[in-house]
Amino acid sequence: MIFATLGMDDVAKMFGNKRVGLALSGGGARGFAHVGVLMAMEELGIVPDVIAGVSAGSIVAVLYASGMKAADIAKAFGEMSMGDLTEIAIPKNGFFKLTGLKDFLKKRIPVARIEELPMRAIVCATDFDNCRPVAFEEGPIGDCVAASCSIPIVFQPVKINGTTYVDGGVMRNLPAWAVRDKCDVLLGVNVSPMPGTKYRNTLIDIASRSYDIMSRSNAREDIAMCDITIQTRGISELNVFDIKPKNKIIKSGYDEAMAVINDYIKITTNNNDNNV
């Protein structure tokens, strides 16, 4: 049984007749937790009507929106390494290119553009030229997701139609802003609730830690927009490039989602009963 005091009828009453939105934050390898959250939602019978993602969250968002189940996404991630997604570049504006990431998505998603996905999906990035967050609801999946994942200095920026884009977490790491007006109930998943305490004194580690601190700070406004916020504090110490403990990360997302959604239903049900 999923809940000690609640059953599937409670879940159906809470979500069944409402438009459900899901906002997935950036966080590098910690983004595996999004898969665990989706596993919990599938088990509970909660199906998002629209899903938005930043950086690692955008990868999970487009894969799920393409029709893949959470377990299939976990399996696909399990077969790859960080080296499969990147290509060393001449370090003019970034050390790596995300060529492999585009190939990874192309092999697994049967359509080429965001607007062709079976589920409504939004990929969020930062317009580096005009200093503003952007939400791609249409456009080439590979380019838009690569733009959303391009942590400055670490990865090269991505040009789309003449505009330069970098990681969405630079300005809004949790894309609640992009989906709030498109749903009745919004679940936000923040896999970067606080920066890890340890880092090495290298250029890459300093860049990734700076990204951590920045993305933690700019998520506050979007957390306030969510009806349900799932934060994976148990994995906050993990480096954004450390994919080895992927099973631990996925379990963290699953466990936290189950606990938070359970609490939300309990509290909402009790409030409704008290107002009758």
Side-chain angles (χ1 to χ4, degrees):
M1 186 172 179
I2 295 169
F3 297 132
T5 57
L6 298 172
M8 294 302 294
D9 288 345
D10 298 289
V11 180
K13 288 177 183 177
M14 194 64 59
F15 297 97
N17 60 349
K18 296 179 180 177
R19 295 175 302 162
V20 177
L22 183 61
L24 306 179
S25 80
R30 295 191 296 265
F32 287 122
H34 294 315
V35 180
V37 171
L38 288 170
M39 287 177 173
M41 292 177 66
E42 287 178 357
E43 192 170 323
L44 295 171
I46 302 170
V47 181
D49 296 281
V50 55
I51 182 168
V54 161
S55 198
S58 73
I59 300 174
V60 176
V62 296
L63 290 172
Y64 201 70
S66 75
M68 292 180 70
K69 295 296 185 182
D72 297 325
I73 298 174
K75 182 179 179 182
F77 283 156
E79 296 169 349
M80 64 145 196
S81 68
M82 208 66 180
D84 294 331
L85 302 182
T86 62
E87 177 185 348
I88 295 176
I90 298 173
K92 178 182 178 181
N93 56 1
F95 285 96
F96 302 97
K97 295 188 290 185
L98 288 166
T99 309
L101 172 60
K102 295 181 185 180
D103 292 338
F104 174 83
L105 295 174
K106 186 176 181 179
K107 290 177 182 177
R108 289 163 178 82
I109 298 177
V111 297
R113 298 182 62 82
I114 295 172
E115 65 269 25
E116 296 171 341
L117 291 166
M119 179 185 291
R120 188 174 185 182
I122 303 170
V123 174
C124 297
T126 299
D127 178 341
F128 200 61
D129 295 335
N130 299 293
C131 305
R132 62 187 181 94
V134 294
F136 293 111
E137 293 194 59
E138 56 183 44
I141 293 171
D143 288 343
C144 293
V145 172
S148 182
C149 293
S150 294
I151 299 174
I153 300 175
V154 179
F155 299 117
Q156 290 187 343
V158 175
K159 275 194 176 292
I160 301 175
N161 296 328
T163 300
T164 303
Y165 295 94
V166 296
D167 195 295
V170 169
M171 296 194 74
R172 303 290 286 266
N173 194 48
L174 181 64
W177 66 275
V179 71
R180 177 68 271 186
D181 63 346
K182 299 171 178 63
C183 59
D184 302 311
V185 179
L186 176 56
L187 292 85
V189 186
N190 181 23
V191 300
S192 297
M194 58 189 294
T197 56
K198 297 179 181 179
Y199 67 97
R200 293 175 299 176
N201 192 30
T202 66
L203 187 58
I204 296 296
D205 269 37
I206 290 171
S208 64
R209 183 171 174 81
S210 299
Y211 169 83
D212 264 354
I213 295 170
M214 176 176 54
S215 58
R216 174 193 61 167
S217 300
N218 70 36
R220 293 171 183 164
E221 182 180 350
D222 288 282
I223 288 172
M225 295 182 189
C226 298
D227 299 297
I228 303 170
T229 305
I230 299 162
Q231 304 205 65
T232 54
R233 292 185 175 87
I235 57 169
S236 61
E237 78 283 358
L238 296 179
N239 186 281
V240 293
F241 301 119
D242 185 7
I243 68 173
K244 292 180 182 178
K246 59 173 70 78
N247 291 332
K248 172 187 174 181
I249 299 171
I250 291 172
K251 186 178 186 300
S252 172
Y254 175 88
D255 290 344
E256 192 66 24
M258 282 296 193
V260 171
I261 295 172
N262 185 22
D263 287 345
Y264 172 79
I265 294 175
K266 282 182 179 178
I267 293 169
T268 306
T269 301
N270 288 338
N271 288 342
N272 290 341
D273 290 343
N274 291 335
N275 290 331
V276 173

